[in-house]
Amino acid sequence: MSKLLTNEDWDVLLRRIKQGRCTPFLGAGAAYGVLPLGGDIAKQWAEKYEYPMEDRSNLIAVSQFLALKYSDSVFPKDLIVEMFQESGMPDFNDPTEPHRVLANVNLPVYVTTNYDDFMVKALVRHYREPNRILCQWNRAVKDYVRDNPTILEKDPTYKPTVANPVVFHLHGHVPIAESLVLTEDDYMDFLVNISADPNLIPAPIARALTGSSLLFIGYRITDWNFRVLLRSFDRLAESSVSRLNVAVMRAPSGADEVKEKTQDYLTKYYENIDVRVYWGTARDFVKELWERWQKAGYAN
């Protein structure tokens, strides 16, 4: 089973990164080992709160159950906030730490569906001054931004640069519980609202999405975050030219024959929607990325 991009794919990707025309999307796998994965959180909650269905590793479904059980849509989000606030930090001294490597390659725009602030902290450690921007997908986030204006509210002409990049939190940010896209209702509202209001993707972010290669790191094959991302940006992609896009995903599990057939099918499926798949972990990918980056003479 081939898990690597071709040398030609790597050449294009490295060139796009060097030009600042690559936009990373960070999923939960980018923080693996520091924060629990969604499936593990779901299993823990399913056991503690007596979730009655069989999909006990589905965080979205279990979160919806908790919101209904307690008649409070913010209850599961408060649990996430508490959990994240008690968690540790990545080891930014580790040369294979994904946030460190992505900060090292000097890009102007980073997008994350994670709730943590690891990308911001990694950029600060590399002597850059990042600006955090939240997707205002619901009224609560709009109210928060009104009281805590971002760089775009202060300076509508702001354009992200390597020195002053932007980290765009698409699905919310801890500790702002109401900003989190977590339950089934949240995902439906997010999709409806982002489709109805193009301004929910600020102009600097929209330009990065339509004018660069997209690099998805830390998503699973069946991850709702990844599927929602692809659906959300269909409208933007229609007006853009074809570019190399890459998704870093763990290989399917199971017997070798089944894994090979599944991987071959999914590779063809994603290539059909202009996404090349690197089969491996986030650390596998960034390790190879950094090695090739140095070999190409870009690490100056």
Side-chain angles (χ1 to χ4, degrees), residues 170-200:
L170 193 65
H171 288 171
H173 168 57
V174 166
I176 312 161
E178 292 83 355
S179 73
L180 307 187
V181 179
L182 180 61
T183 66
E184 292 173 349
D185 286 344
D186 290 336
Y187 276 90
M188 291 297 295
D189 290 344
F190 177 86
L191 273 178
V192 169
N193 293 339
I194 206 169
S195 298
D197 185 0
N199 293 324
L200 292 182

Side-chain angles (χ1 to χ4, degrees), residues 224-248:
W224 258 86
N225 277 350
F226 183 62
R227 295 164 66 188
V228 168
L229 284 176
L230 294 179
R231 179 64 62 85
S232 300
F233 300 133
D234 274 350
R235 172 182 52 80
L236 292 172
E238 288 175 359
S239 62
S240 65
V241 298
S242 176
R243 290 184 176 86
L244 173 71
N245 300 310
V246 175
V248 180

Side-chain angles (χ1 to χ4, degrees), residues 70-135:
Y70 286 89
S71 300
D72 188 330
S73 63
V74 183
F75 176 74
K77 303 180 185 185
D78 286 337
L79 296 181
I80 288 288
V81 170
E82 293 171 6
M83 182 179 299
F84 275 45
Q85 289 177 332
E86 295 172 357
S87 68
M89 291 290 297
D91 179 7
F92 293 123
N93 293 318
D94 181 349
T96 65
E97 201 288 313
H99 302 87
R100 168 187 167 140
V101 174
L102 291 174
N104 260 331
V105 295
N106 296 332
L107 291 166
V109 175
Y110 300 81
V111 181
T112 179
T113 53
N114 297 335
Y115 311 136
D116 60 70
D117 61 352
F118 297 160
M119 194 66 245
V120 169
K121 284 185 164 56
L123 290 166
V124 170
R125 283 177 60 91
H126 285 80
Y127 307 104
R128 297 162 72 185
E129 298 180 8
N131 294 288
R132 187 196 316 281
I133 298 177
L134 302 181
C135 179

Side-chain angles (χ1 to χ4, degrees), residues 133 149-160 166 202-205:
I133 298 177
T150 69
I151 185 67
L152 286 178
E153 282 72 37
K154 297 175 182 178
D155 179 12
T157 66
Y158 163 71
K159 293 183 179 180
V166 62
I205 308 301

